[in-house]
Amino acid sequence: MDTFVEQLVVKPMTPADQAKKFGLIAATGILCLGLAYLSVMVMPLILLVVCAVAYGGYFLVTGMNVEYEYSVTNGELDVDKIIAKRKRKHMLTVRITEFETFGLESEAKFDNNITTFLVGDGDEAHYYAADFQHEGMGRVRLVFSPNERILEAIRPSLKRGLR
């Protein structure tokens, strides 16, 4: 029987992200107003530059909206990053049978020599961590926030000691 379960998780906006977003909006507004003033005084073609700057600011601000998609397909976990609902970037694929450890992130041991992927929803109370060996990145810890459906799809593929 084939298994396919997916979940979308929205990355929360941190105060630093909000400050960047506000700064981009303010800079775009000031630049557009300055260029619009110049276009009245100097040359009407600058209005095209104003439109380009406004679109660029919109593109950058909406590009800060990030979602993560987890999908479990027949014992394989895929993690994708979706930027502004217009661009998808594949981050990671791993066979669940390769997990060395799996459980709540708060119970995981700290390790400096491990590459960490944090692809959660901001609520650290239900973060799960999975450690495994990846052929391209070495030792990896995936910290994510799966819902109950994803967990139930993962459990049958885990090694006996990890269930």
Side-chain angles (χ1 to χ4, degrees), residues 73-114:
T73 309
N74 297 331
E76 202 168 75
L77 176 66
D78 291 318
V79 179
D80 294 335
K81 182 178 184 178
I82 302 169
I83 302 166
K85 296 182 182 178
R86 66 175 167 244
K87 183 178 175 186
R88 176 182 293 263
K89 179 182 175 195
H90 180 72
M91 294 183 70
L92 182 68
T93 298
V94 63
R95 300 229 22 104
I96 296 169
T97 56
E98 296 175 4
F99 285 178
E100 297 166 4
T101 63
F102 180 75
L104 286 172
E105 199 266 336
S106 59
E107 299 169 0
K109 290 186 268 179
F110 182 75
D111 188 359
N112 274 339
N113 302 324
I114 197 164

Side-chain angles (χ1 to χ4, degrees), residues 8 16 22-23 34 38 42 63 74 92 123-124 128 136 145 155 158 162:
L8 274 177
F22 177 76
L38 270 176
V42 180
N74 297 331
L92 182 68
D123 185 8
E124 296 179 15
Y128 279 79
S145 49
R155 283 189 186 112
L158 287 172
L162 299 179

